[in-house]
Amino acid sequence: MSTESDALIIDSLSKSFGDIKAVRNLSLDVKKGEVHGLLGPNGSGKSTTMKMILGLIRPDAGSIYVNGLNPEKDPTEVRRIVGYVPESPRLYEFLTGIEYLDFIADIHGLDADTKRRRIKEFLEALELEGRENEMISGYSQGMKQKITIIAALLHKPKLLILDEPLSNIDPKSARIIKDLINGLSREGVATIFSTHVLEIAEAICQRLTIMSQGEVLASGTPVQLRELAGMPGSGLEDAFLKLTGTGDIQEIVKALL
Ligand SMILES: Nc1ncnc2c1ncn2[C@@H]1O[C@H](COP(=O)(O)OP(=O)(O)OP(=O)(O)O)[C@@H](O)[C@H]1O
Ligand SMILES: [Mg+2]
């Protein structure tokens, strides 16, 4: 069901919530070391797809393989090799940053030395050093998001699933995280990354999949997507708006005004 070079294979995946078809017949593959962007309007099925990859939501139909493992049959093993940043992370607010990261590292069975070293490196890199002994409840949104990202990386996952990880992060830390994803990519770590910020998608993703109403609308490199939209010389944003059928922006704005 998977080849050596695939980190993730999704085949004909579907999921409905009552009458809402959140994901429809979605197929997608991500190679080892690939950074793959998942784009699409609000409600197009990105987060639902990510939760199914982790085995948090059960698909109605279709199959998923993470490094050859099926998340429905082997959820524990899949979570061992996946790092996940959810779109609305729930942190233990009554713990301090360091207590939370210690707890996550212990769940993953890191030895004491490795744990201390990795947590220190990440806290330094993301400029949280000196704040780690404060309660998470007192952290800013961006600080909480950074803690979630560190927690997802501590166990050196083979596949990163990042659901809008940079939405509250300041430019310098966002740059560090982007460089980190690129560095991990060179070590063979695959990333699937959802974002609404098309410049970010273009800057760090080798391939992009645009979803709309649960379906794959288009998939390819940023250059291929612009060509597909018939706009080879334009920005990715214009191509995205055309492909997702949101071409009448001017009309909408005029009506609102
Ligand atoms: N637990 C749920 N119960 C009912 N409907 C759900 C549930 N989770 C998702 N949906 C519906 O499935 C569709 C896809 O939602 P999803 O969260 O996957 O979209 P998304 O692409 O991540 O959107 P956004 O960009 O806003 O994060 C939406 O119509 C949403 O209302
Ligand atoms: Mg979402």
Side-chain angles (χ1 to χ4, degrees):
M1 272 302 161
S2 86
T3 66
E4 275 297 292
S5 62
D6 287 303
L8 173 69
I9 299 181
I10 298 180
D11 186 31
S12 314
L13 191 69
S14 294
K15 176 70 191 178
S16 292
F17 297 103
D19 292 338
I20 298 168
K21 291 189 163 74
V23 176
R24 293 196 251 194
N25 202 30
L26 176 127
S27 297
L28 185 81
D29 65 276
V30 181
K31 302 283 173 212
K32 288 179 180 162
E34 179 180 327
V35 183
H36 194 109
L38 210 50
L39 310 176
N42 296 131
S44 53
K46 304 180 296 296
S47 298
T48 305
T49 301
M50 290 176 152
K51 287 174 193 161
M52 287 193 278
I53 299 170
L54 280 148
L56 298 173
I57 292 181
R58 186 176 277 267
D60 296 333
S63 63
I64 301 174
Y65 287 92
V66 180
N67 267 29
L69 296 166
N70 177 336
E72 269 192 273
K73 293 202 184 107
D74 241 335
T76 313
E77 199 58 22
V78 166
R79 276 170 228 163
R80 219 172 53 77
I81 56 167
V82 172
Y84 176 47
V85 173
E87 62 184 338
S88 327
R90 290 207 195 100
L91 287 162
Y92 294 94
E93 303 248 337
F94 51 86
L95 294 182
T96 64
I98 193 81
E99 282 169 346
Y100 178 70
L101 293 174
D102 259 339
F103 167 63
I104 298 293
D106 288 343
I107 289 177
H108 287 300
L110 298 190
D111 66 68
D113 276 352
T114 311
K115 175 170 87 171
R116 212 171 305 124
R117 182 172 39 79
R118 280 199 203 150
I119 291 177
K120 187 170 183 296
E121 282 169 3
F122 279 120
L123 289 172
E124 272 174 18
L126 297 181
E127 302 189 320
L128 283 174
E129 221 194 3
R131 306 293 302 266
E132 65 268 36
N133 292 315
E134 296 171 29
M135 295 254 282
I136 290 174
S137 57
Y139 284 178
S140 72
Q141 273 308 108
M143 290 165 72
K144 287 179 190 170
Q145 213 163 346
K146 288 178 185 178
I147 290 285
T148 317
I149 292 169
I150 297 173
L153 290 170
L154 276 180
H155 62 300
K156 293 216 160 185
K158 293 191 166 80
L159 173 68
L160 275 176
I161 300 183
L162 308 179
D163 202 350
E164 289 192 58
L166 301 180
S167 50
N168 292 303
I169 305 276
D170 63 67
K172 183 175 173 197
S173 299
R175 179 61 188 271
I176 290 166
I177 292 163
K178 281 191 261 178
D179 289 349
L180 198 60
I181 293 171
N182 279 325
L184 290 168
S185 154
R186 285 191 289 276
E187 289 174 17
V189 176
T191 299
I192 181 158
F193 186 107
S194 84
T195 179
H196 292 294
V197 184
L198 298 168
E199 293 85 17
I200 293 179
E202 182 142 39
I204 67 162
C205 300
Q206 284 120 36
R207 279 205 298 155
L208 305 168
T209 291
I210 300 181
M211 293 181 67
S212 176
Q213 297 180 14
E215 288 181 304
V216 172
L217 210 61
S219 199
T221 65
V223 172
Q224 285 169 338
L225 292 183
R226 278 196 292 262
E227 278 170 5
L228 201 65
M231 309 171 105
S234 64
L236 191 61
E237 182 170 316
D238 289 330
F240 173 84
L241 292 173
K242 185 162 177 209
L243 288 167
T244 52
T246 330
D248 50 353
I249 300 285
Q250 303 288 354
E251 291 301 313
I252 296 171
V253 173
K254 221 187 286 169
L256 289 172
L257 292 173

